[in-house]
């Protein structure tokens, strides 16, 4: 995890979810790139965050795209967030004894006919799922993210309040982490749109 | 038994890590020094009440975190040195002098250190609230706030955000306050510890908050706080020390 660095956080709001990642890609202490997003859209209502070993981040992004496409064709419908979380879990557990070095975070809304219910999940590197009702943190700044999120998050935040909460959580956490930072990207998923904003942060 | 004696190695580790977290915030004319009261070793809780914050004088409190045995001996020795100073000079040692004393005492053991992080809080000679933070070998700095110990990584970014207003932009034409009111500071301290208690296994049980108030300051805000207790040493003291005790989750 400390080879490339990077952090992701997801939070539940009222009829919305947010997921955010930093933009740094490093080789240990040396920063290689400052535009490396660790969040990837899966459907119009699901985004996955993949902090960890960059080579595995890219491999898994492609593998999830392939598996979700196969699911969509076979089932003739879009995948639901909870189903996708289990897909992530089983994909990682396939490599139980030679794991991918990523700790995914999943954020999504259920389909509108089921009420657009917020969904967040996190797994460890071998796919052990956790389904909290408040927030998920992951990556090299996870302890700092825990401290920030635990003190800033509150239930039933609207999209704009949730954006502010997740942004402050991420920015202040990564500013105390040498392996994360260099700006951030934040997505807020609402029933009718996904709001994406790129944040400028400390460049040191 | 072999006739040739084999070399044997004797491993002895003179240090332990006893968990817990401490925190201090300086105000304009006050300082707040807080610590939880859990003491642990590994996954075991040794006691739910082991104070980490100590009143040194009527203008100084010291919080020690890390190896509890070293911490207790260190506080004992600092108190002894302060008593000697009182006998020699017929007054309490000023805060900045205590800070320098702590540095020399820590560095004196540079090659067998006291395994503790120290945070000193109190009132400067000019009446301003001050916080000094130290590493185990005596490197120190005066700051507005500092968290140390097991949950420092959880609390320090929160303090950056709420005390220094990092990553926040003031409404145009206004600026962020340099010092926060005492009740705001106390809320931040309790919030920091309740959050750290939720997410860190070594933090919890109880919270002790020492408040050191400069001589000229009004005490009306403090009198509204439930269960506040004055622990000022001498009746003639101008600066005053109070302690607020709170429960934290015990799981």
């Amino acid at each position: 995890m400390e080879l490339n660095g990077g952090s992701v956080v997801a939070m539940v709001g009222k009829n919305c979810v947010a997921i955010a990642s930093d933009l740094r890609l490093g080789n240990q202490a040396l920063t290689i790139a400052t535009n490396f997003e660790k969040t990837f859209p899966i459907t119009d209502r699901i985004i996955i965050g993949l902090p960890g070993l960059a080579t595995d981040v890219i491999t898994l992004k492609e593998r999830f795209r392939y598996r979700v496409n196969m699911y969509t064709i076979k089932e003739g419908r879009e995948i639901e967030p909870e189903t996708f979380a289990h897909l992530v879990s089983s994909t990682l557990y396939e490599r139980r004894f030679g794991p991918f070095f990523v700790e995914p975070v999943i954020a999504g809304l259920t389909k509108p006919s089921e009420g657009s219910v917020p969904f967040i999940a996190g797994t460890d590197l071998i796919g052990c799922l956790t389904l909290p009702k408040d927030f998920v943190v992951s990556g090299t700044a996870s302890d700092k993210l825990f401290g920030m999120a635990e003190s800033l998050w509150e239930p039933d935040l609207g999209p704009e309040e949730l954006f502010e909460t997740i942004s402050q959580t991420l920015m202040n956490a990564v500013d105390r982490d040498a392996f994360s930072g260099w700006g951030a990207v934040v997505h807020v998923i609402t029933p009718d749109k996904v709001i994406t904003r790129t944040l400028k942060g400390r460049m040191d | 038994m072999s006739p040739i004696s084999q070399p044997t190695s004797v491993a002895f580790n003179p240090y332990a890590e006893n968990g817990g977290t401490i925190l201090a915030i300086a105000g304009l004319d006050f300082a707040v020094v807080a610590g939880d009261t859990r003491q642990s070793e590994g996954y075991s809780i040794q006691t739910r009440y082991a104070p980490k914050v100590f009143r040194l004088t009527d203008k100084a409190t010291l919080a020690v975190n890390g190896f509890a045995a070293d911490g207790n001996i260190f506080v004992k020795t600092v108190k002894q040195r302060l008593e000697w100073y009182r006998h020699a000079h017929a007054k309490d040692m000023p805060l900045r002098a205590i800070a320098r004393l702590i540095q020399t005492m820590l560095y004196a053991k540079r090659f067998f250190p006291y395994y503790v992080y120290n945070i000193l809080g109190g009132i400067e000679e000019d009446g301003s609230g001050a916080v000094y933070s130290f590493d185990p070998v005596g490197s120190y700095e005066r700051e507005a706030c500092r968290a140390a110990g097991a949950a420092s990584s959880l609390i320090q970014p929160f303090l950056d955000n709420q005390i220094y207003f990092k990553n926040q932009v003031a409404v145009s034409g206004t600026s962020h306050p340099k010092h926060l009111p005492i009740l705001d500071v106390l809320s931040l301290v309790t919030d920091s510890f309740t959050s750290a208690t939720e997410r860190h296994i070594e933090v919890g049980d109880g919270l002790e908050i020492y408040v050191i108030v400069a001589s000229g300051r009004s005490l009306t805000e403090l009198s509204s706080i439930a269960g506040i207790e004055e622990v000022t040493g001498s009746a003639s003291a101008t600066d005053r020390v109070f302690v607020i005790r709170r429960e934290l989750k015990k799981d």
Side-chain angles (χ1 to χ4, degrees), chain A residues 172-187:
Chain A
N172 290 286
V174 300
D175 284 353
R176 281 279 174 182
D177 182 30
F179 296 113
S180 307
W182 294 82
V185 63
V186 184
H187 309 276

Side-chain angles (χ1 to χ4, degrees), chain B:
Chain B
M1 177 130 138
S2 156
I4 301 152
S5 60
Q6 294 293 118
T8 54
S9 71
V10 182
F12 171 65
N13 183 197
Y15 292 121
E17 177 65 59
N18 297 111
T21 276
I22 52 171
L23 158 64
I25 300 169
L28 182 65
D29 51 4
F30 66 90
V32 174
V33 185
D36 71 325
T37 63
R38 175 175 292 181
Q39 192 179 102
S40 58
E41 191 165 359
Y43 293 131
S44 303
I45 296 170
Q46 293 172 322
T47 172
R48 297 193 191 279
Y49 186 69
K52 279 190 279 287
V53 192
F54 302 91
R55 188 187 66 86
L56 297 178
T57 67
D58 289 326
K59 51 177 98 267
T61 56
L62 183 62
V64 283
N65 193 219
F67 178 29
D70 272 1
N72 291 329
I73 288 299
F74 184 71
V75 170
K76 194 175 167 180
T77 331
V78 172
K79 280 183 173 173
Q80 186 177 56
R81 292 289 297 269
L82 292 175
E83 186 173 335
W84 291 348
Y85 183 96
R86 271 195 298 277
H87 292 318
H89 300 94
K91 65 162 188 158
D92 280 333
M93 190 186 278
L95 194 72
R96 60 189 196 94
I98 300 175
R100 185 62 65 87
L101 172 73
I102 289 171
Q103 168 169 74
T104 52
M105 287 177 65
L106 290 170
Y107 198 80
K109 283 178 60 66
R110 170 63 178 79
F111 299 107
F112 183 24
Y114 289 113
Y115 208 73
V116 286
Y117 284 89
N118 283 285
I119 302 179
L120 176 70
I123 306 297
E124 233 32 295
E125 280 174 307
D126 66 2
S128 62
V131 164
Y132 291 91
S133 66
F134 301 81
D135 81 349
V137 289
S139 178
Y140 79 109
E141 182 183 11
R142 186 181 167 181
E143 293 176 293
C145 68
R146 171 61 63 184
S152 61
S153 59
L154 283 75
I155 296 174
Q156 193 65 53
F158 178 65
L159 262 29
D160 291 344
N161 188 219
Q162 300 291 318
I163 306 280
Y164 293 120
F165 297 100
K166 289 281 169 69
N167 294 112
Q168 288 193 262
V169 183
V171 176
S172 63
T174 66
S175 63
H176 292 305
K178 247 191 119 195
H179 296 284
L180 293 175
I182 194 160
L183 294 179
D184 292 18
V185 168
L186 289 169
S187 306
L188 290 174
V189 170
T190 28
D191 284 0
S192 296
F193 276 93
T194 45
S195 295
T197 302
E198 284 293 326
R199 295 290 176 172
H200 201 111
I201 57 166
E202 292 173 3
V203 182
D205 293 327
L207 171 60
E208 274 188 342
I209 309 167
Y210 278 73
V211 186
I212 311 96
V213 181
S215 53
R217 196 177 202 283
S218 149
L219 298 169
T220 46
E221 288 158 297
L222 285 176
S223 60
S224 68
I225 298 161
I228 192 164
E229 182 195 335
E230 181 157 8
V231 288
T232 313
S234 69
S236 60
T238 50
D239 302 324
R240 296 167 75 176
V241 189
F242 297 86
V243 62
I244 302 161
R245 288 179 233 277
R246 290 286 180 269
E247 290 290 306
L248 289 173
K249 285 172 74 176
K250 295 181 197 303
D251 57 355

